[in-house]
Amino acid sequence: MTTEALGAAVEELLRPVIGTALSGGAGGAAALEPLVREVLGALAEGAARRGGPVAAASPADLARGVADTFGAARGTEALGRLTELLAHGSADPADPACAAHLHCPPLAVAVAADLAVSALNPSQDSWDQAPAATVLETLLLEEMAGLVGYDPAEAAGVLTSGGTESNLMGLMLARDRVLGAATGRQIELTGVPRAGAGGSLGSAAGARPRILASAAAHFSVQRAAALLGLGEDAVIPVAVDSQLRMRTGALTAALERCAERGQLPVAIVATAGTTDTGAIDPLRECAELAARYGAWLHVDAAYGGGALLSDRLAPLLDGIELADSVSLDWHKLGWQPAAAGIFLVRKSETYASLARRAVYLNPADDEEAGYPSLLGLSLRTTRRADAFKIAVTLRTLGREGLGRLVDACHELAVAGARAVAAHPRLELHGQAGAGEPVLTAFLFRYVPGAADADGVRADEVNAALRRRLLREGGAVVGRTELPGEGPGRVRLKLTLLNPHTTVVEVERLLAAVVAAGVAEEGA
């Protein structure tokens, strides 16, 4: 068979197969156009059928509906039916009553940009898979370094899947740099040395590595310690104040105990924006203590990094520029589709232990000839061009435009917290200043009418009213617990990330919480 005949046979074989058109190439846009129209229509239909922040259904009922539609969707109907199913069965962060998590409603311009990335499918692990995207990511990271306060010429970084990956990278570099310097070993090659009994900082090979983080830090710190061979027990929780900020005195005392016990403080993790209250640890003081004790300072600013966009809130992150590494998530207070995480280091040479050479991806002679590679900057190999949507958004709105969105959400949270404080059946968890949230989240609880000295009844009612709201499709409200032991610690949480939500809509959401609480008390 000739080459021409073989090509014709393959084309004929694929012709009747639904969905075999490609999104790239000269004909890709034309192939996508009718499908995108179908998706948009199905999204609208699903949202209309949902009619609120989440579908009114129990988990079991929703699962049955998903299974039925998934089993029945076939052929040309599959895209539309399954898209409508997804829209109907999703929690919609654009709905004013969906305010539980750091789950932002993405900007339409960012979603449109992300479509272009999906259609072209560049992979950031080698230049020849993503020529323009490689340059764009590099340029974006220079801007992000400048935003944090780093010198862009000296800093380095990469796009990540989010704060968990960024925190892992920061602690991996901390382990390799600090423990490596203390032991004279290349940790990424030889592994973590076994801690010997009675080791001291003067005998670093026997010193047990420690990571110090606030009691309110993200759980990914412990997960990273486990993955890095240090063990979750290597993480020392540092006491927090009533605002859930790490206490400087407690951190100092913990570092002194490390020295007394012959333990090596590898890293201090300061949080800039805790998930529950948006609390920001004293970054400058943490940096001073890290320098004094020879520890790496990693700032987890996955949430609070959004404050850097606001002239009003940016001073809250004073001292972040002193950190050895920083994590940012623009899919939180940045209105990007997930994933849009960023990891930065202040000094590019501290990235050395991550460097990798794969002859089929980034051969040395290619790089010497001017073909740059991002492979050695990431824990991942295949990696989407997530920088593109952020770059488009920044160029469309600028820092000033995004800052206005940050300020709008902060003002909304302040108004919401004041409404809670003024309501006789709601109790606001103490906030800094005049009851104002630090960023865009605050904690509160419904107060049962009956006497409840130990707080057991309040815990039960608040947990149940949240599930009632979900079951009825009325609202998506967060739930957490204050640090400590015993009953009375359950709190509800509003995380307000929709800049178009109004104060009236937040008050309506709080009224729904109270109504659900009353209903649970009578159940």
Side-chain angles (χ1 to χ4, degrees), residues 112-138:
D114 212 31
L115 172 61
V117 170
S118 293
L120 296 168
N121 205 29
S123 181
Q124 300 294 87
D125 48 317
S126 66
W127 187 93
D128 58 0
Q129 296 177 82
T134 296
V135 180
L136 274 173
E137 178 166 325
T138 304

Side-chain angles (χ1 to χ4, degrees), residues 112-478:
D114 212 31
L115 172 61
V117 170
S118 293
L120 296 168
N121 205 29
S123 181
Q124 300 294 87
D125 48 317
S126 66
W127 187 93
D128 58 0
Q129 296 177 82
T134 296
V135 180
L136 274 173
E137 178 166 325
T138 304
L139 293 172
L140 176 70
L141 289 167
E142 289 176 357
E143 286 200 17
M144 293 296 100
L147 183 67
V148 166
Y150 289 167
D151 180 348
E154 296 184 355
V158 74
L159 269 289
T160 71
S161 59
T164 296
E165 181 183 348
S166 295
N167 290 345
L168 174 62
M169 292 181 70
L171 292 175
M172 175 183 174
L173 295 179
R175 180 201 66 177
D176 296 346
R177 297 286 294 187
V178 178
L179 189 56
T183 61
R185 300 173 64 170
Q186 197 169 346
I187 303 301
E188 68 272 20
L189 296 181
T190 64
V192 178
R194 183 181 177 187
S200 67
L201 290 177
S203 176
R208 176 75 190 271
R210 293 299 195 199
I211 296 167
L212 296 95
S214 90
H218 196 264
F219 66 86
S220 60
V221 175
Q222 280 81 3
R223 178 177 288 176
L227 291 172
L228 293 171
L230 303 176
E232 291 194 23
D233 287 345
V235 180
I236 299 175
V238 180
V240 295
D241 62 19
S242 62
Q243 308 305 320
L244 305 187
R245 287 166 34 104
M246 183 157 54
R247 294 180 182 272
T248 304
L251 176 59
T252 303
L255 288 164
E256 290 174 351
R257 284 194 297 272
C258 284
E260 292 168 358
R261 297 170 181 174
Q263 298 168 344
L264 180 67
V266 169
I268 295 171
V269 178
T271 305
T274 58
T275 54
D276 282 346
T277 64
I280 298 172
D281 290 336
L283 305 182
R284 188 166 293 277
E285 291 87 343
C286 288
E288 292 170 355
L289 287 168
R292 185 188 309 170
Y293 285 86
W296 178 284
L297 176 62
H298 175 70
V299 174
D300 177 3
Y303 176 20
L308 295 170
L309 299 168
S310 162
D311 288 339
R312 183 201 310 166
L313 300 179
L316 293 171
L317 272 66
D318 173 58
I320 193 172
E321 70 280 1
L322 302 174
D324 294 290
S325 58
V326 172
S327 63
L328 305 168
D329 276 6
W330 298 124
H331 54 250
K332 291 182 170 67
L333 204 55
W335 300 282
Q336 299 297 300
I342 289 176
F343 173 72
L344 296 167
V345 294
R346 183 162 47 89
K347 300 292 184 182
S348 59
E349 59 265 25
T350 61
Y351 237 124
S353 61
L354 263 174
R356 287 294 178 270
R357 179 76 61 195
V359 293
Y360 69 98
L361 290 174
N362 63 340
D365 56 323
D366 268 8
E367 292 194 348
E368 291 167 2
Y371 292 82
S373 168
L374 305 180
L375 180 67
L377 297 173
S378 179
L379 293 175
R380 293 177 286 162
T381 305
T382 302
R383 187 165 58 82
R384 292 182 84 247
D386 287 318
F388 182 72
K389 61 199 173 194
I390 306 174
V392 168
T393 302
L394 278 171
R395 286 297 175 268
T396 301
L397 295 176
R399 176 181 176 272
E400 182 182 356
L402 286 168
R404 285 196 294 269
L405 301 184
V406 172
D407 289 342
C409 290
H410 178 247
E411 290 165 3
L412 191 66
V414 169
R418 289 174 179 171
V420 166
H423 200 290
R425 297 303 297 273
L426 299 176
E427 177 184 274
L428 180 68
H429 176 68
Q431 299 286 341
E436 292 192 356
V438 179
L439 295 173
T440 67
F442 60 88
L443 302 182
F444 68 105
R445 66 176 174 175
Y446 170 81
V447 180
D452 184 32
D454 57 7
V456 172
R457 180 62 175 156
D459 286 355
E460 293 174 346
V461 170
N462 278 275
L465 76 83
R466 174 180 165 273
R467 291 189 291 269
R468 175 183 287 270
L469 289 169
L470 287 171
R471 188 170 60 251
E472 295 176 351
V476 185
V477 176

